[in-house]
Amino acid sequence: METAQITPFAAIAEFDTPGALVQAAEKVRKAGYSKTDALTPFPVHGIDEALGIPRSHLGYIVLCIGMMGTAAALLLQWWTGAVDYPLVIGGKPLFAFEFSIPVTFELTVLFSSFAAVFGMLALNGLPRFYHPLDNARMTRRVSDDRFVLVIDKSDPKFHPVETIGFLRSLNPISTELVED
Amino acid sequence: MADLAIKPPLAELNPPLVEGNHSYSTVTHTVSGIVERKTPKQWFIAISISGAITLMMLGMIGYLFLNGVGVWGNNSPVGWAWDITNFVFWIGIGHAGTLISAILFLFRQKWRTSINRAAEAMTLFAVACALLFPLIHVGRPWRAYWMFPIPNTDLNMWQNFRSPLLWDVFAVSTYGTVSALFWYVGLLPDLATLRDRARTRIRQLVYGVLSLGWRGSARAWRHYEMAYLILAGLSTPLVLSVHTIVSFDFAVSIIPGWHTTIFPPYFVAGAIFSGFAMVVTLMVIFRYAFQLEDLVTIKHLENMNIVMLATGSIVGYAYATELFIAWYSGNMYEKFAFLNRTTGPYWWAYWTMVSCNVISPQFFWFKKLRRNIPFMFVISIFVNIGMWFERFVIIVTSLHRDFLPSSWGYFRPTFVDVCTFIGTLGFFTTLFLLFVRFLPMIAISEVKGVMPAPGASERGQH
Amino acid sequence: MSSYEIDGALWSRVRNAIAFLLLIGVAASVAGAVTEPERFYRSYLVGFLHPTSILLGALFFVMVMHITGSVWSITVRRFHENLIGALPLVAVALVPVVLGIHHLYEWSHAEEVAHDTLLRGKAAWLNPQGFTIRAFIYVAIWSFFALRLVHHSTAQDSTRSIDNTRSLKKYAAPGLFLGFISVSLASFDWVMSLAPHWYSTMFGVYFYAGGGWASFATLVLICLAFRSAGMLRREINVEHYHDLGKWMFALTVFWTYIAFCQYLLIWYANLPEETIWFRNRFVGGWAPMSVALLFGHFFIPFLVLLPRASKRNLKLLRAAALWFLAMHYLDLYWMVMPTFYKDGPSFHWLDLAPLVAVGSLYALGFWMRLKKHAIMAVGDLRLEQALEHHNL
């Protein structure tokens, strides 16, 4: 068999409905696999619980960087207006919380949004233009209408033949051993 | 709960978000097909017209740069006129896109998925048109970088953070940036779809690079969904803040007709109102042009008309409150400003605004009318016109009769005013045409997420 | 069905308790009205506005939920409906305000108006007859829509007909519009005209934002009370509380937005006729109260409710809801009292009596309705969807 000759990267199985994927994922987790993933065209409800994927911590990153934005905005307005170049305009105080709120708010949102987008990309390891899973025949249709379950080779229970056999028992459309 | 066995007519309460007999793959095909098919002839005709109008706009701007702001009709006492009217008009249009993508997301209004992509694109292009006006009206646009706190040796001082105009710089640029980020994040999975379907090398390369290697992994979706939720949560107050700050440009002053505390929410409601009108205008055209009737259903259009009815009524409430409080205040200047607005030389502008903004959406109380496509198209145009007039009325009628009758005047636009504004319509259309040609105009992966899953019918809708 | 009816013995016990509170509240109020009428009427206005604005907030959200076809709120809707069912009682609670008009409103004194040009100009609106007639028109509008909404929702318990859902939408849309206008005008009449020379177009929105804020807190407290009595534990689960928490959070931000915009615009323009209202609240004992509002009405609720975990922590949510009710009282106190007591707040035992009286009057209205129908909207066609509701 060819399977013996290639270096495997992962064993994958293909399903045609999100429901079938979640059910299969449930069984994979119960069988003791932990280095698992799923490839889906849209976020599938319940897959995180089924595979035991923890909640994202992106929120904390965003909060910290957002607060840096708040601080930067207040410092900027106070230092430029009241310290470095104090100039009375329209009888207004050199610095006051009343007029500094709008810019502070905007910069907080700006910093937070950058943190959300680039934090998300960083956590996902993107951009990444080559991935061994791209070698698989079936992953092309993931962005269309297929739901693929992945068991990574780094899983302690991974075995090229047995894992494929186990995946076959879950009634997928097909299974595949992906080359590294 | 045995007596719940009577099958309730759930279809009316949960109208299908996708009509026709669609599967995941036909949705992919319908939307990507628009980008992959040979470019239709009509598209070339449309873009040549809008491109020509854009060129006219660029010509007008060049003429302005060479000759100065005097080529516009602005003159004492009307120092702000079409320039700021157009700015507020365009930035307001943008608000519907953010409302659909962020606020309706937080409110779990699933019908947003078919229209949010196009609406967000509209936001970006409207913001681009809006940004043009503050930039070109400053007199010396080549010094525009003075608006940002960049250390430099030719200004040698700092920006005035006490000025609402500077708040505007921060608000609008933040808004443009965050909208672009939000839009791009939403596009990622669909760009991956286009990448996977690409047949030519150049398409593979372009969409491959743009999609950043998105693979739809569940571990990635988890961060992605969190990022989307956070961006929605940030964009919601952001969109309110933008038009609030735009309203501050007027309301912090002491000019009667500008200085009134209801301006912030009133401007926000008006912005959403005008933006939804523009979305209806565009979606009616493009759903017809690209046969997207199954994805952008009549129910989607009806919902947008309901939003227009609601926001139009809020705007009407604000007009009425302004009039009432102007009387109630007992302040002679307030009273005069509103008397002058409704019955003065610009009475025609005021009543155009009221008829278009308050009266015309009231037809949408009738279900028949709000599901009638030609009718809603006409009303959406009326609302676009009315909302332009609203900004014109607020700006010009408050300025043209100053406190001293010696400084009274009457503003008339010049051909440069008119052609620049028409030019931005062409600019906006050009950008939108480019968008529908090269990017998926419907959020493919989001629509799939709200479709009933195949094989799930026996479990009931979810 | 039977599981959604309240236990008779429990119901009677609570009814008696509310009735007892009502009696004490009314007796204390009457005693106050006789001994210290001036102080009584002023305190009464605050004590009346607090629970009334909560009912109005509930009215607003029932209608919003119908129009948007909101699913998650179906299991909590009946509590809101029982609250708005008490709106006709506002007509009763309003009587002392009308009786105390001369103690409350400067413009109600003909001799004051006679030598005040501005007030003479406003006399067409600000006069005792107009005030009274308008007040009862407002109550009529609210009661009409509230009772229609309650009627169709409770009728659906047995009919299970989609016609009821359609009717609910039909009443909600114009109700929202007329309700908003009438609440704004009521806030102009009842609160803004306490300082009759001052005006702010935003005031109606400000008043309503506070009421909506407190009405969600009230709803949370009611749901949690039923939960601790062992009812609706599955139907109103942590997912629904999470949503209620989100609303509490969102309205905290909205109230702050409105309050800040109103303040900033007046601060910035710096016109004496407008700034006087805030100046009165920034001097003497009122200054610390203004700061307390900034923290208590915004910073603390904002920071506490920001994390996802706290919206799913029922103990915390209960504490937050109680805090909200207290802060809403402070907000109304801050709106009303500085007109009368320039130097600072002077709390009085009479502040409490009207609050107890009006609050328990509405609570009794709520409680009497509770017995008549199921305690949850069991007839709603999307109830099953609501039970499956899940948050990201």
Side-chain angles (χ1 to χ4, degrees):
Chain A
M1 289 283 290
E2 303 134 47
T3 42
Q5 283 135 28
I6 65 167
T7 355
F9 175 75
I12 62 177
E14 183 182 30
F15 300 87
D16 62 352
T17 68
L21 173 80
V22 173
Q23 278 174 4
E26 199 77 56
K27 285 180 196 145
V28 166
R29 195 195 64 218
K30 286 197 180 125
Y33 290 100
S34 55
K35 305 278 182 200
T36 52
D37 203 345
L39 305 181
T40 58
F42 55 86
V44 169
H45 189 72
I47 190 73
D48 292 357
E49 292 83 351
L51 286 177
I53 303 175
R55 270 184 72 80
S56 170
H57 290 300
L58 187 59
Y60 299 101
I61 300 172
V62 172
L63 188 69
C64 293
I65 297 188
M67 274 162 38
M68 282 164 60
T70 315
L74 286 171
L75 271 174
L76 172 74
Q77 296 179 79
W78 165 76
W79 185 75
T80 57
V83 179
D84 194 45
Y85 202 108
L87 185 64
V88 176
I89 300 168
K92 296 276 175 287
L94 294 173
F95 181 78
F97 92 89
E98 282 91 348
F99 69 70
S100 55
I101 297 285
V103 171
T104 307
F105 174 80
E106 297 302 328
L107 285 186
T108 307
V109 170
L110 188 67
F111 276 52
S112 308
S113 305
F114 275 120
V117 175
F118 293 103
M120 183 270 285
L121 293 177
L123 289 174
N124 287 338
L126 296 176
R128 179 172 185 182
F129 294 108
Y130 170 75
H131 194 282
L133 280 175
D134 297 344
N135 295 330
R137 172 186 44 78
M138 61 174 80
T139 50
R140 292 239 125 168
R141 276 186 71 178
V142 159
S143 64
D144 183 10
D145 64 343
R146 283 292 192 263
F147 302 81
V148 170
L149 197 58
V150 182
I151 300 180
D152 198 85
K153 66 151 191 265
S154 61
D155 194 289
K157 281 197 69 183
F158 184 85
H159 184 276
V161 181
E162 277 169 28
T163 302
I164 284 284
F166 169 68
L167 283 175
R168 263 193 207 123
S169 73
L170 302 172
N171 290 326
I173 302 174
S174 64
T175 56
E176 194 175 338
L177 196 61
V178 187
E179 197 178 339
D180 199 358
Chain B
M1 299 228 270
D3 46 353
L4 272 180
I6 322 151
K7 275 274 174 249
L10 279 170
E12 181 181 328
L13 299 175
N14 300 301
L17 297 166
V18 176
E19 283 179 353
N21 216 351
H22 273 289
S23 67
Y24 293 139
S25 103
T26 58
V27 170
T28 313
H29 189 74
T30 311
V31 181
S32 325
I34 300 172
V35 182
E36 290 160 353
R37 270 197 302 271
K38 208 167 136 307
T39 312
K41 202 166 67 216
Q42 294 93 323
W43 187 85
F44 282 112
I45 298 171
I47 203 156
S48 350
I49 297 171
S50 68
I53 301 174
T54 310
L55 284 178
M56 175 180 79
M57 177 192 82
L58 294 174
M60 289 299 144
I61 293 174
Y63 183 64
L64 171 82
F65 283 7
L66 289 174
N67 292 282
V69 181
V71 299
W72 287 344
N74 305 24
N75 208 337
S76 184
V78 184
W80 272 357
W82 278 41
D83 46 357
I84 303 302
T85 302
N86 296 340
F87 163 68
V88 183
F89 172 75
W90 279 117
I91 199 89
I93 294 231
H95 281 43
T98 319
L99 182 106
I100 290 168
S101 54
I103 302 183
L104 295 186
F105 177 77
L106 297 182
F107 279 98
R108 298 198 195 88
Q109 298 287 315
K110 288 180 176 170
W111 57 275
R112 67 183 265 291
T113 53
S114 293
I115 48 173
N116 68 339
R117 172 69 43 73
E120 283 172 53
M122 180 194 80
T123 296
L124 287 177
F125 307 148
V127 171
C129 291
L131 273 173
L132 212 59
F133 286 99
L135 204 69
I136 62 175
H137 97 301
V138 291
R140 285 184 231 167
W142 49 93
R143 297 285 195 200
Y145 64 92
W146 282 0
M147 290 192 279
F148 294 93
I150 307 164
N152 58 59
T153 49
D154 48 348
L155 182 64
N156 268 324
M157 60 191 294
W158 290 108
Q159 289 68 26
N160 174 19
F161 282 99
R162 280 150 281 188
S163 164
L165 302 180
L166 190 65
W167 307 344
D168 235 3
V169 171
F170 278 81
V172 176
S173 49
T174 300
Y175 183 49
T177 314
V178 174
S179 302
L181 286 173
F182 199 7
W183 186 61
Y184 188 66
V185 166
L187 266 169
L188 270 184
D190 292 357
L191 289 168
T193 302
L194 290 178
R195 172 200 64 200
D196 292 347
R197 291 167 58 90
R199 301 246 168 68
T200 65
R201 190 71 198 136
I202 179 109
R203 291 185 87 95
Q204 279 173 346
L205 207 67
V206 171
Y207 290 122
V209 169
L210 285 178
S211 62
L212 303 178
W214 179 259
R215 281 169 191 87
S217 138
R219 286 174 195 275
W221 276 122
R222 154 191 68 141
H223 295 305
Y224 177 93
E225 280 195 284
M226 185 53 77
Y228 203 93
L229 180 69
I230 290 171
L231 284 173
L234 290 168
S235 301
T236 301
L238 175 65
V239 71
L240 300 186
S241 82
V242 173
H243 233 64
T244 296
I245 290 173
V246 170
S247 82
F248 286 168
D249 293 347
F250 306 102
V252 298
S253 73
I254 52 167
I255 294 175
W258 283 9
H259 177 63
T260 176
T261 50
I262 205 168
F263 254 32
Y266 152 41
F267 264 50
V268 171
I272 292 164
F273 180 51
S274 68
F276 267 85
M278 188 57 101
V279 179
V280 168
T281 311
L282 293 172
M283 289 320 275
V284 165
I285 297 173
F286 286 99
R287 98 194 253 280
Y288 173 75
F290 295 114
Q291 289 109 47
L292 292 171
E293 283 89 349
D294 286 348
L295 297 178
V296 184
T297 66
I298 192 81
K299 182 70 196 162
H300 289 106
L301 296 171
E302 184 184 4
N303 282 343
M304 289 195 270
N305 292 335
I306 293 174
V307 176
M308 274 161 69
L309 172 57
T311 46
S313 303
I314 296 176
V315 168
Y317 162 81
Y319 297 161
T321 307
E322 277 188 327
L323 288 180
F324 173 70
I325 294 287
W327 171 80
Y328 176 92
S329 73
N331 181 322
M332 60 187 273
Y333 301 107
E334 283 285 325
K335 281 186 190 170
F336 175 78
F338 283 91
L339 196 69
N340 183 47
R341 192 176 275 186
T342 48
T343 60
Y346 285 108
W347 64 271
W348 50 272
Y350 184 82
W351 294 104
T352 306
M353 163 189 107
V354 170
S355 335
C356 290
N357 291 350
V358 185
I359 297 169
S360 76
Q362 302 305 325
F363 288 106
F364 290 144
W365 284 104
F366 305 101
K367 197 176 180 88
K368 262 219 177 77
L369 293 178
R370 62 175 186 254
R371 294 174 77 97
N372 180 324
I373 289 173
F375 185 80
M376 71 174 79
F377 186 74
V378 172
I379 294 287
S380 76
I381 300 284
F382 274 139
V383 172
N384 283 321
I385 296 171
M387 283 309 293
W388 187 89
F389 267 97
E390 180 191 298
R391 281 62 175 253
F392 177 80
V393 165
I394 290 170
I395 293 169
V396 174
T397 67
S398 307
L399 289 176
H400 86 116
R401 286 186 164 172
D402 209 339
F403 292 98
L404 287 174
S406 60
S407 27
W408 283 15
Y410 190 84
F411 168 83
R412 274 186 194 80
T414 64
F415 81 97
V416 185
D417 277 311
V418 180
C419 292
T420 312
F421 175 59
I422 294 174
T424 55
L425 293 171
F427 182 47
F428 176 79
T429 315
T430 308
L431 291 172
F432 203 82
L433 284 168
L434 289 172
F435 157 70
V436 296
R437 186 71 211 106
F438 295 109
L439 291 170
M441 63 177 286
I442 288 180
I444 307 173
S445 79
E446 290 191 47
V447 170
K448 288 177 191 163
V450 300
M451 283 172 69
S457 49
E458 69 272 16
R459 284 189 61 242
Q461 272 174 319
H462 195 65
Chain C
M1 273 294 283
S2 55
S3 61
Y4 295 120
E5 268 158 28
I6 190 164
D7 172 57
L10 175 70
W11 183 81
S12 317
R13 262 209 320 273
V14 177
R15 182 202 55 196
N16 295 344
I18 299 173
F20 180 66
L21 273 178
L22 177 62
L23 251 124
I24 294 182
V26 171
S29 298
V30 171
V34 175
T35 54
E36 286 181 71
E38 185 145 283
R39 177 76 210 194
F40 165 75
Y41 286 116
R42 291 165 180 177
S43 300
Y44 186 85
L45 185 64
V46 183
F48 160 76
L49 287 171
H50 185 270
T52 307
S53 62
I54 290 174
L55 297 192
L56 293 172
L59 180 64
F60 182 77
F61 287 106
V62 169
M63 297 194 286
V64 166
M65 299 303 180
H66 283 309
I67 287 179
T68 56
S70 161
V71 171
W72 71 271
S73 62
I74 289 168
T75 56
V76 298
R77 194 178 79 211
R78 183 53 50 83
F79 290 137
H80 252 161
E81 283 166 353
N82 289 329
L83 276 177
I84 62 174
L87 273 169
L89 295 174
V90 177
V92 180
L94 198 56
V95 172
V97 178
V98 173
L99 291 178
I101 195 165
H102 294 300
H103 291 287
L104 291 169
Y105 301 101
E106 187 188 337
W107 49 260
S108 70
H109 300 279
E111 67 285 358
E112 289 272 342
V113 176
H115 60 76
D116 188 319
T117 320
L118 279 175
L119 291 190
R120 264 207 313 279
K122 300 179 191 203
W125 184 266
L126 294 181
N127 60 70
Q129 295 79 11
F131 177 89
T132 312
I133 295 167
R134 282 196 308 273
F136 286 99
I137 293 177
Y138 304 145
V139 180
I141 294 174
W142 304 333
S143 307
F144 170 76
F145 285 103
L147 293 180
R148 291 319 294 165
L149 291 168
V150 172
H151 166 79
H152 278 288
S153 176
T154 51
Q156 200 175 29
D157 286 359
S158 47
T159 61
R160 301 250 151 91
S161 159
I162 194 162
D163 292 336
N164 293 122
T165 308
R166 290 189 189 128
S167 307
L168 285 166
K169 274 195 180 204
K170 221 165 261 169
Y171 281 106
L176 208 53
F177 190 61
L178 291 175
F180 203 87
I181 293 176
S182 51
V183 173
S184 304
L185 290 177
S187 75
F188 292 165
D189 281 2
W190 300 349
V191 190
M192 198 168 89
S193 80
L194 287 166
H197 299 98
W198 186 76
Y199 54 90
S200 166
T201 40
M202 184 83 109
F203 199 81
V205 188
Y206 176 65
F207 176 80
Y208 215 171
W213 190 72
S215 90
F216 266 98
T218 312
L219 183 60
V220 166
L221 288 176
I222 294 172
C223 294
L224 284 171
F226 276 81
R227 188 178 180 83
S228 46
M231 279 176 278
L232 302 181
R233 296 180 79 95
R234 187 178 68 88
E235 291 80 356
I236 306 174
N237 56 41
V238 72
E239 300 295 338
H240 299 92
Y241 285 105
H242 188 175
D243 268 305
L244 289 168
K246 283 183 193 167
W247 271 101
M248 286 165 70
F249 178 76
L251 285 163
T252 305
V253 177
F254 183 71
W255 177 89
T256 312
Y257 163 68
I258 296 293
F260 173 72
C261 288
Q262 175 170 275
Y263 170 63
L264 177 76
L265 291 179
I266 289 172
W267 177 86
Y268 202 109
N270 213 6
L271 296 170
E273 64 195 80
E274 293 179 347
T275 50
I276 184 69
W277 197 83
F278 284 104
R279 200 238 166 221
N280 283 342
R281 281 152 184 81
F282 290 169
V283 292
W286 293 109
M289 193 148 160
S290 301
V291 177
L293 261 184
L294 175 65
F295 281 87
H297 213 304
F298 173 59
F299 279 115
I300 296 171
F302 179 83
L303 292 174
V304 166
L305 288 179
L306 185 63
R308 180 180 193 264
S310 54
K311 285 175 280 229
R312 299 172 78 88
N313 178 338
L314 302 190
K315 279 211 182 83
L316 194 86
L317 223 47
R318 184 199 312 263
L322 285 168
W323 178 260
F324 275 32
L325 292 187
M327 282 302 127
H328 183 50
Y329 184 82
L330 211 62
D331 183 27
L332 290 166
Y333 199 90
W334 180 85
M335 279 193 248
V336 170
M337 289 301 194
T339 312
F340 307 116
Y341 305 98
K342 306 274 183 217
D343 302 329
S346 57
F347 291 102
H348 194 278
W349 66 272
L350 264 175
D351 290 339
L352 209 58
L355 185 67
V356 171
V358 181
S360 49
L361 175 70
Y362 296 164
L364 197 62
F366 170 85
W367 201 253
M368 298 307 279
R369 277 192 181 275
L370 203 65
K371 177 86 174 164
K372 282 196 216 153
H373 309 284
I375 56 173
M376 194 175 72
V378 289
D380 196 288
L381 304 173
R382 286 164 308 171
L383 186 61
E384 269 185 283
Q385 278 172 281
L387 295 177
E388 282 178 22
H389 169 64
H390 187 82
N391 275 293
L392 178 68

